[in-house]
Amino acid sequence: MRVSPVRSLRESMVVFGGIDIFRQRGHWSGFERLVRRAGRERGFGDYFGHTFVARGQAEAMVELDLKPWDLAAIKIVVEEAGGRFSDLRGEATIYGGDAITSNGWVHDEILELLQTAPPAKTSA
């Protein structure tokens, strides 16, 4: 297994778990920014989407509301395939309650999109 060599989020496929959990956990606007920036997006919950990343079939997977046992094996598999694993704060831990797996090239951009608020609109 080997992660994808795609370096651009605009050319990437991003997969994710359930959609409503992003709203429930206060990440809806970041999720919307991520979907708009990605080349393609698909919903594959649980470990399945992370295997797409490890096999090079997707560039990233984002998932919320997780337990350490949901992530322990995924972290190892993705990292051994050359990818990157973190929680939404960028920490490489299975104890954060959420996860981003990626090919590494698009990881920081995804973190930024999920963590930052959109720029304030000014009225003229």
Side-chain angles (χ1 to χ4, degrees):
M1 284 191 296
R2 192 78 189 141
V3 296
S4 164
V6 172
R7 293 178 180 226
S8 164
L9 190 55
R10 292 225 183 266
E11 297 173 5
S12 296
M13 182 162 91
V14 175
V15 292
F16 49 85
I19 293 175
D20 195 48
I21 193 72
F22 286 91
R23 184 189 53 77
Q24 293 173 15
R25 298 291 167 99
H27 293 287
W28 187 251
S29 61
F31 179 71
E32 285 183 310
R33 288 190 300 275
L34 175 59
V35 167
R36 282 195 299 269
R37 182 84 52 93
R40 294 172 311 206
E41 69 288 325
R42 301 289 183 269
F44 297 106
D46 298 324
Y47 76 94
F48 193 53
H50 298 287
T51 67
F52 281 36
V53 175
R55 292 180 287 164
Q57 295 172 309
E59 285 66 47
M61 166 76 175
V62 181
E63 195 171 20
L64 308 179
D65 195 28
L66 301 165
K67 304 291 184 215
W69 51 84
D70 296 326
L71 299 171
I74 291 299
K75 181 180 187 303
I76 294 166
V77 169
V78 168
E79 289 175 347
E80 287 296 314
R84 184 171 164 194
F85 175 98
S86 79
D87 63 13
L88 266 62
R89 290 157 299 287
E91 300 293 324
T93 178
I94 63 171
Y95 299 103
D98 42 60
I100 300 171
T101 56
S102 77
N103 65 356
W105 295 107
V106 299
H107 205 95
D108 289 333
E109 186 174 0
I110 292 170
L111 281 168
E112 182 180 329
L113 288 168
L114 291 173
Q115 291 176 352
T116 60
K121 292 183 180 181
T122 57
S123 26

